[in-house]
């Protein structure tokens, strides 16, 4: 968690009691641990985080929840850069993968398909994410509520693997609104060899 604090402007966070002042991360504001001292819940929504999510965030492999609502985890901050593929290592995450209302860009890493225990709230909306939606999101078969991919710049088609989940999601399915679904994705840039 120290890398997260440093990478996202921790001294400017609104709520930061205990962060970097305590020997145990379990004493940090908005961090919940289990009896073994593993971080199981993290809620830094609307807390003035600025910068990029460090790859080390994926080391919180016991994380089960991004707070108590879709306005938890990293909602409503000023996070920039791409989504680290290491988030795919959070395989115990069950609810509130809330990364919405930031300034994140690039594509959704295919490793997000490894979050197969996620049941509630995949919130990536209101960012600047682009390219096609990965078919691997169709592996999130336990999702029953809250799929938010809207208001980005996704192109191409909604993968049939993901669309198949829409019948089991009992509340909010926002995938196409505010995207460029149905339009061709631009070709990736080609690299010119240097002489």
């Amino acid at each position: 968690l120290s890398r997260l604090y440093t990478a996202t402007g921790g001294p400017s966070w609104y709520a930061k009691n205990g962060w970097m002042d305590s020997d145990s991360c379990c004493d940090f504001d908005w961090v919940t641990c289990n009896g073994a001292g593993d971080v199981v819940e993290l809620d830094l929504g609307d807390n003035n985080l600025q910068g990029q999510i460090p790859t080390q965030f994926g080391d919180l492999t016991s994380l089960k929840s991004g707070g108590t609502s879709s306005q938890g985890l990293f909602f409503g901050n000023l996070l920039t850069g791409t989504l680290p593929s290491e988030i795919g290592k959070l395989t115990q995450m069950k609810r509130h993968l809330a990364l919405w209302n930031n300034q994140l860009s690039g594509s959704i890493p295919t490793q997000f398909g490894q979050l197969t225990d996620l049941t509630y709230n995949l919130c990536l909306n209101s960012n600047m994410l682009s390219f096609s939606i990965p078919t691997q999101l169709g592996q999130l078969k336990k999702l029953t509520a809250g799929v938010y991919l809207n208001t980005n710049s996704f192109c191409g088609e909604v993968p049939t693997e993901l669309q198949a989940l829409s019948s089991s999601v009992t509340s909010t399915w926002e995938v196409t609104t505010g995207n460029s679904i149905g339009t061709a994705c631009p070709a990736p840039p080609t690299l010119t060899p240097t002489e």
Side-chain angles (χ1 to χ4, degrees), residues 147-164:
V147 176
Y148 301 89
L149 302 179
N150 53 299
T151 319
N152 280 291
S153 296
F154 294 121
C155 53
E157 301 299 330
V158 176
T160 55
E161 297 87 347
L162 179 61
Q163 191 63 46

Side-chain angles (χ1 to χ4, degrees), residues 84-116:
S85 61
E86 289 80 3
I87 289 177
K89 297 192 308 187
L90 305 178
T91 56
Q92 293 190 45
M93 177 68 85
K94 296 186 182 310
R95 57 193 176 113
H96 309 307
L97 184 61
L99 299 162
W100 65 292
N101 200 17
N102 280 285
Q103 299 167 13
L104 298 165
S105 59
S107 60
I108 299 174
T110 58
Q111 291 85 350
F112 274 43
Q114 297 168 8
L115 305 174
T116 54

Side-chain angles (χ1 to χ4, degrees), residues 1 18 35 38 66 83 100 102 107 118-120 123-124 126 146 164 174 182:
L1 287 176
D38 300 317
L83 292 167
W100 65 292
N102 280 285
S107 60
L118 189 65
T119 59
Y120 196 81
C123 304
L124 301 177
S126 301
E174 286 287 342

Side-chain angles (χ1 to χ4, degrees), residues 121-138:
N121 280 340
L122 172 65
C123 304
L124 301 177
N125 52 304
S126 301
N127 279 292
M128 297 182 290
L129 298 170
S130 58
F131 302 103
S132 58
I133 298 170
T135 59
Q136 289 82 357
L137 290 187

Side-chain angles (χ1 to χ4, degrees), residues 4-128:
L4 177 65
Y5 183 85
T6 303
T8 59
S12 298
W13 291 2
Y14 301 139
K16 57 180 181 271
N17 288 338
W19 284 78
M20 312 312 291
D21 296 331
S22 173
D23 291 336
S24 171
C25 63
C26 301
D27 296 329
F28 297 175
D29 260 354
W30 305 110
V31 174
T32 303
C33 295
N34 61 17
D38 300 317
V39 176
V40 294
E41 184 172 286
L42 181 65
D43 183 350
L44 294 171
D46 199 20
N47 200 36
N48 201 37
L49 277 69
Q50 301 178 37
Q52 297 187 16
I53 302 169
T55 58
Q56 292 83 2
F57 176 63
D59 294 339
L60 298 176
T61 54
S62 296
L63 192 65
K64 298 181 185 303
S65 175
T68 58
S69 77
S70 63
Q71 294 184 358
L73 194 57
F74 297 140
F75 153 77
N77 285 293
L78 298 169
L79 295 171
T80 57
T82 58
L83 292 167
S85 61
E86 289 80 3
I87 289 177
K89 297 192 308 187
L90 305 178
T91 56
Q92 293 190 45
M93 177 68 85
K94 296 186 182 310
R95 57 193 176 113
H96 309 307
L97 184 61
L99 299 162
W100 65 292
N101 200 17
N102 280 285
Q103 299 167 13
L104 298 165
S105 59
S107 60
I108 299 174
T110 58
Q111 291 85 350
F112 274 43
Q114 297 168 8
L115 305 174
T116 54
D117 272 356
L118 189 65
T119 59
Y120 196 81
N121 280 340
L122 172 65
C123 304
L124 301 177
N125 52 304
S126 301
N127 279 292
M128 297 182 290

